[in-house]
């Protein structure tokens, strides 16, 4: 977007100020950005200071205080400079201390407007308005320190303006204008209870990642040893064990160790649940005209919205834990903002965070999917599986053959039992591949395609066929002989691929998707 | 949004598999050959260096002849594969989309509706310039990578293809 020294007032309107409390927001942003950039430097400085003999805590503290003071002064200057004003077809934001800039955002470039209530603003009834623009720059404009009601009114006005500007050439109906100033102008589709949010935490993929992370930390011997050593020392565990042994013998010690291990295991879900509470507490999903909006958050409330026609697809995520609890997490897929294409011609939302609708019962997931993708009946989908022998055979061969190359010579030279070990491993791999094959399938339900994959749980991509942007069909001479093919459907948000399909199925899906994409002239992004 | 959901007769759909693909111009084959030979020369020349060092005994040097021979063998093989791959490359245009097939073993056919094209580019490398060839690239919304890339079109062909695709795309600007 063009930056110019727009000091000349247009329409005679002067710059609107934001609350002085916005300084807090500037400080927080400065600290957040500063920490990321300065952390390595700080760590080095601290380490060298600590190792040198003239190490003085006072100096370090003084340095930190100076940095903080500098940040504060900078933030005050930023606030003094900050201003915004609305003009006929754009919003102008004036900011910057040394590099002074005025950002012009045309209303028709606005992709999304959100009202966030960070925890430090909530006691004062303030909010931060985020404006997301189209274009590869993907920069978000942030107006911190607006009174909540004003922020909401501004959001609704900007959304209405953007809608009006965007719809004019496309000839769409922009009749549903939101009622200004209310928290939720539309109908509430979903409210999550605390229990749902706890389930969302338990079923988050984070759990699996955390397990992996802890596994790696424990796997690297030094770290684990140091950690255990440190724990034993600080908590005086040795003495604790001794006193336990005196009172109740070895059994008591074993029990205590088991309890500690259990506690550590419980800690993981706890962290995940706390994360979910922070993010999803008070989750409300509402619809207003063709705009879906979610707002949630415990300390900081976040608000996010998407227009129905921007939704590229819905992904149902159900991992093993979610399967056990009978819940499904939905993710709305939107066009990913791409870089690398010049002049910012490319529309796309610069939202980093995924639009999640967590912790749904299957019935809710079905009805909400039908809301997000009108006419999509997920219950009616009948899945077709892919070719079992090639799927299981090839995917297990990829994993099982390389170890065989290592183990077979060992079996010949050292001990025949290595061959046995490989057989066991190979059998497990084949079983896993067979399970993955059972979970893999595709379906066409009306105007929508569904592709399911998974191992214990499953991931199902549901997408309108007409949103497909590109179709790839891959064949090797070997596949051709057996009448099979790999199919990849590319959407603006993600791509969906299926391997080892029957060629005629792949071709039929391709023809259908292309027909749908080429028939309609609806906006798809 | 006016929503309709008529049944589509699957057999009546236009079939992309029945497309007659155009081969790429023979200049592209010559370009592939020239490129392969250039790469081969760059790799091959250093392998002769041991033959110039007289301090290495003659018997060892005789064995070292195996290196350039192997390299040349592989070079010939890859060049031959590239020449055969050329025969499998092809493109076609329908009323609403463009198709491109490439690959010798991994035969990939891409179909891209005109309406989904956001942006198109024609580029020309130094070697391509000598043969009067260009590369045509199409981009869609979303990802940052190229969605369809046709290497080795005649320059005016690439330009006219680009123009006709963009002319039929409602959304490209």
């Amino acid at each position: 977007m063009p930056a110019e020294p727009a000091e000349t007032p247009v329409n005679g309107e002067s710059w609107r100020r934001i609350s002085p409390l916005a300084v807090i927001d500037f400080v927080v942003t400065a600290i957040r950005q500063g920490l990321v950039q300065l952390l390595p430097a700080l760590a080095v400085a601290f380490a060298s200071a600590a190792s040198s003999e003239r190490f003085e805590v006072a100096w370090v503290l003084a340095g930190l205080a100076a940095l903080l003071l500098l940040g504060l002064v900078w933030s005050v200057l930023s606030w003094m400079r900050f201003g915004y004003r609305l003009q006929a077809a754009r919003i102008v934001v004036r900011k910057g201390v040394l590099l002074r800039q005025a950002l012009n955002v045309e209303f028709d470039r606005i992709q999304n407007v959100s009202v966030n209530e960070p925890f430090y603003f909530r006691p004062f009834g303030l909010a931060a308005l985020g404006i997301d623009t189209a274009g590869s720059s993907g920069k978000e404009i942030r107006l911190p320190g607006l009174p909540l009601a004003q922020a909401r009114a501004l959001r609704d006005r900007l959304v209405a303006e953007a809608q009006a500007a965007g719809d004019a050439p496309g000839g769409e109906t922009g009749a549903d204008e939101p009622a200004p100033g209310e928290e939720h102008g539309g109908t509430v589709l979903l409210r999550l209870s605390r229990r749902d949010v706890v389930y969302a935490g338990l079923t988050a993929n984070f759990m699996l990642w955390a397990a992996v992370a802890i596994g790696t930390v424990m796997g690297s011997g030094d770290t684990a040893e140091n950690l255990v050593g440190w724990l034993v020392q600080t908590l005086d565990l040795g003495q604790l064990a001794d006193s336990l042994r005196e009172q109740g013998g070895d059994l008591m010690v074993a029990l205590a160790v088991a309890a500690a291990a259990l506690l550590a295991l419980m800690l993981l879900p706890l962290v995940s649940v706390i994360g979910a509470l922070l993010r999803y507490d008070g989750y409300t999903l509402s619809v207003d005209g063709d705009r879906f909006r979610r707002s949630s958050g415990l300390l900081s409330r976040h608000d996010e919205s998407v227009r129905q026609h921007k939704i590229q697809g819905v992904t149902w995520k159900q991992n093993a834990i979610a399967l056990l609890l009978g819940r499904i997490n939905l993710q709305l897929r939107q066009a990913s903002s791409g870089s690398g294409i010049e002049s910012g011609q490319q529309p796309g939302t610069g939202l980093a965070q995924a639009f999640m609708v967590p912790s749904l019962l299957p019935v809710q997931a079905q009805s909400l999917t039908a809301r997000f993708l009108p006419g999509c009946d997920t219950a009616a989908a009948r899945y077709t599986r892919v070719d079992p022998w090639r799927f299981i055979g090839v995917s297990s061969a990829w994993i099982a053959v390389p170890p065989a190359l290592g183990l077979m010579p060992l079996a010949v030279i050292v001990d025949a039992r290595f061959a046995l070990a490989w057989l066991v491993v190979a059998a497990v791999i084949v079983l896993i591949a067979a399970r993955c094959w059972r979970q893999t399938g595709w379906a066409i339900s009306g105007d929508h395609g569904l592709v399911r994959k998974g191992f214990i749980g499953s991931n199902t991509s549901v997408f309108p066929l007409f949103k497909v942007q590109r179709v790839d069909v891959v064949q090797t001479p070997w596949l051709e002989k057996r009448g099979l093919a790999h199919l990849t459907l590319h959407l603006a948000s993600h791509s969906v691929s299926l391997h080892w399909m029957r060629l005629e199925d792949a071709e039929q899906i391709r023809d259908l998707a292309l027909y749908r994409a080429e028939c309609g002239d609806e906006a798809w992004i | 949004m006016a929503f309709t959901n008529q049944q589509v007769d699957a057999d009546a759909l236009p079939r992309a598999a029945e497309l007659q693909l155009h081969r790429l111009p023979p200049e592209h084959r010559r370009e592939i050959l020239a490129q392969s030979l250039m790469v081969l020369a760059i790799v091959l020349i250093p392998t002769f260096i041991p033959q110039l060092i007289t301090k290495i005994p003659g018997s060892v040097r005789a064995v070292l002849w195996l290196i350039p021979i192997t390299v040349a063998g592989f070079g010939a093989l890859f060049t031959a594969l590239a020449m055969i791959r050329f025969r499998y490359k092809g493109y076609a245009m329908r009323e609403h989309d463009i198709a491109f097939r490439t690959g010798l073993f991994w035969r990939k056919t891409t179909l891209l509706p005109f309406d989904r094209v956001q942006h198109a580019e024609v580029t020309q490398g130094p070697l391509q310039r000598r043969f009067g060839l260009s590369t045509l690239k199409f981009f869609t919304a979303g990802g940052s990578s190229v969605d369809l890339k046709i290497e080795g079109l005649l320059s005016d062909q690439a330009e006219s293809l680009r123009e006709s695709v963009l002319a039929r795309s409602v959304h490209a600007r």
Side-chain angles (χ1 to χ4, degrees), chain A residues 426-470:
Chain A
V428 172
I429 290 169
V430 168
L431 283 178
I432 291 174
R435 171 69 190 174
C436 288
W437 168 76
R438 279 188 68 85
Q439 294 290 71
T440 303
W442 60 271
I444 301 287
S445 171
D447 290 338
H448 296 84
L450 294 91
V451 171
R452 188 181 63 192
K453 287 181 177 185
F455 169 43
I456 295 176
S458 60
N459 262 11
T460 310
S461 266
V462 188
F463 55 93
L465 286 168
F466 86 94
K467 299 228 170 184
V468 168
Q469 299 200 118
R470 164 161 74 109

Side-chain angles (χ1 to χ4, degrees), chain A residues 451-519:
Chain A
V451 171
R452 188 181 63 192
K453 287 181 177 185
F455 169 43
I456 295 176
S458 60
N459 262 11
T460 310
S461 266
V462 188
F463 55 93
L465 286 168
F466 86 94
K467 299 228 170 184
V468 168
Q469 299 200 118
R470 164 161 74 109
V471 188
D472 289 340
V473 171
V474 170
Q475 274 202 304
T476 60
W478 190 69
L479 280 169
E480 209 171 331
K481 219 183 286 171
R482 284 156 185 82
L484 299 174
H486 304 323
L487 172 77
T488 309
L489 300 167
H490 297 266
L491 297 155
S493 49
H494 62 300
S495 46
V496 182
S497 58
L498 268 166
H499 288 194
W500 318 108
M501 302 182 70
R502 290 196 319 169
L503 176 64
E504 45 199 293
D505 289 343
E507 281 180 347
Q508 203 177 326
I509 296 175
R510 172 170 73 180
D511 291 339
L512 189 62
L514 288 173
Y515 172 74
R516 292 291 189 206
E518 289 160 7
C519 266

Side-chain angles (χ1 to χ4, degrees), chain B residues 4-16:
Chain B
T4 55
N5 192 8
Q6 326 93 327
Q7 168 103 37
V8 178
D9 186 2
D11 297 325
L13 287 176
R15 283 175 51 78

Side-chain angles (χ1 to χ4, degrees), chain B residues 19-26 28 86-94 97-102 150-153 157 161:
Chain B
L19 272 174
Q20 293 295 313
L21 297 178
H22 302 284
R23 287 254 192 103
L24 291 172
H28 182 45
F86 166 81
R87 295 154 141 262
Y88 282 92
K89 287 185 185 176
Y91 67 95
M93 280 227 299
R94 294 196 294 179
D97 48 35
I98 181 163
F100 181 60
R101 187 182 63 187
T102 184
I150 308 181
E151 277 175 305
L153 286 167
Q157 222 176 2
L161 212 56

Side-chain angles (χ1 to χ4, degrees), chain A residues 187-190 283-287 293-294 355 357 368 372:
Chain A
T187 1
V188 174
L189 294 176
L190 175 78
Y283 190 105
T284 315
L285 179 76
S286 60
V287 62
R293 176 169 290 145
R294 73 128 227 217
F355 196 126
V357 190
L368 279 178
F372 294 135

Side-chain angles (χ1 to χ4, degrees), chain A residues 111-245:
Chain A
Q111 285 282 323
N112 227 326
V113 188
S114 61
V115 174
N116 292 329
E117 299 167 61
F119 65 92
Y120 45 81
F121 274 170
R122 288 185 82 181
F124 310 108
L126 295 176
L129 193 75
I131 303 172
D132 233 2
T133 57
S136 45
S137 67
K139 264 256 161 77
E140 200 199 50
I141 291 180
R142 195 174 157 88
L143 298 180
L146 300 177
L148 188 54
Q150 198 190 327
R152 283 185 183 144
L154 190 55
R155 171 191 69 195
D156 293 338
R157 183 173 162 199
L158 288 176
V159 163
E161 296 268 20
Q163 210 146 322
D167 287 343
E172 263 176 73
T173 50
D176 301 298
E177 290 202 358
E182 282 172 44
E183 186 180 3
H184 285 283
T187 1
V188 174
L189 294 176
L190 175 78
R191 272 185 219 281
L192 291 186
S193 67
R194 277 271 155 80
R195 199 181 122 169
D196 292 331
V197 174
V198 169
Y199 276 13
L202 291 175
T203 58
N205 268 343
F206 164 79
M207 287 272 295
L208 304 174
W209 288 117
V212 170
I214 286 184
T216 13
V217 169
M218 288 305 166
S220 65
D222 278 359
T223 325
E225 212 167 286
N226 288 344
L227 200 68
V228 169
W230 176 79
L231 271 178
V232 167
Q233 211 176 6
T234 37
L235 300 180
D236 212 356
L237 288 177
Q239 207 191 339
L240 197 69
D242 283 344
S243 64
L244 272 175
R245 193 170 287 133

Side-chain angles (χ1 to χ4, degrees), chain A residues 109 173 308-309 335-342 345-347 374-376 446-448 466-477 479-480 486 490-493 499 504 507-508 510-512 514-518 520-525, chain B residues 1-18 94-98 100-101 103-121 139-148 170-173:
Chain A
R109 308 290 295 171
T173 50
Q308 195 273 323
H309 76 263
S336 49
S337 72
S339 50
I341 294 181
E342 70 251 352
Q345 282 187 336
Q346 180 173 340
C376 178
D447 290 338
H448 296 84
F466 86 94
K467 299 228 170 184
V468 168
Q469 299 200 118
R470 164 161 74 109
V471 188
D472 289 340
V473 171
V474 170
Q475 274 202 304
T476 60
L479 280 169
E480 209 171 331
H486 304 323
H490 297 266
L491 297 155
S493 49
H499 288 194
E504 45 199 293
E507 281 180 347
Q508 203 177 326
R510 172 170 73 180
D511 291 339
L512 189 62
L514 288 173
Y515 172 74
R516 292 291 189 206
E518 289 160 7
D521 50 359
E522 280 174 71
W524 86 105
I525 44 172
Chain B
M1 185 191 330
F3 177 70
T4 55
N5 192 8
Q6 326 93 327
Q7 168 103 37
V8 178
D9 186 2
D11 297 325
L13 287 176
R15 283 175 51 78
E18 285 163 5
R94 294 196 294 179
E95 239 178 290
H96 295 285
D97 48 35
I98 181 163
F100 181 60
R101 187 182 63 187
L104 177 55
F105 294 111
W106 190 258
R107 291 168 198 163
K108 182 162 109 173
T109 312
T110 298
L111 270 120
L112 183 66
F114 298 144
D115 237 11
R116 298 292 181 255
V117 174
Q118 290 274 315
H119 166 80
E121 248 175 49
F139 299 83
T140 62
S144 52
S145 61
V146 188
D147 278 86
L148 184 65
V170 181
H171 298 281
R173 280 150 289 175

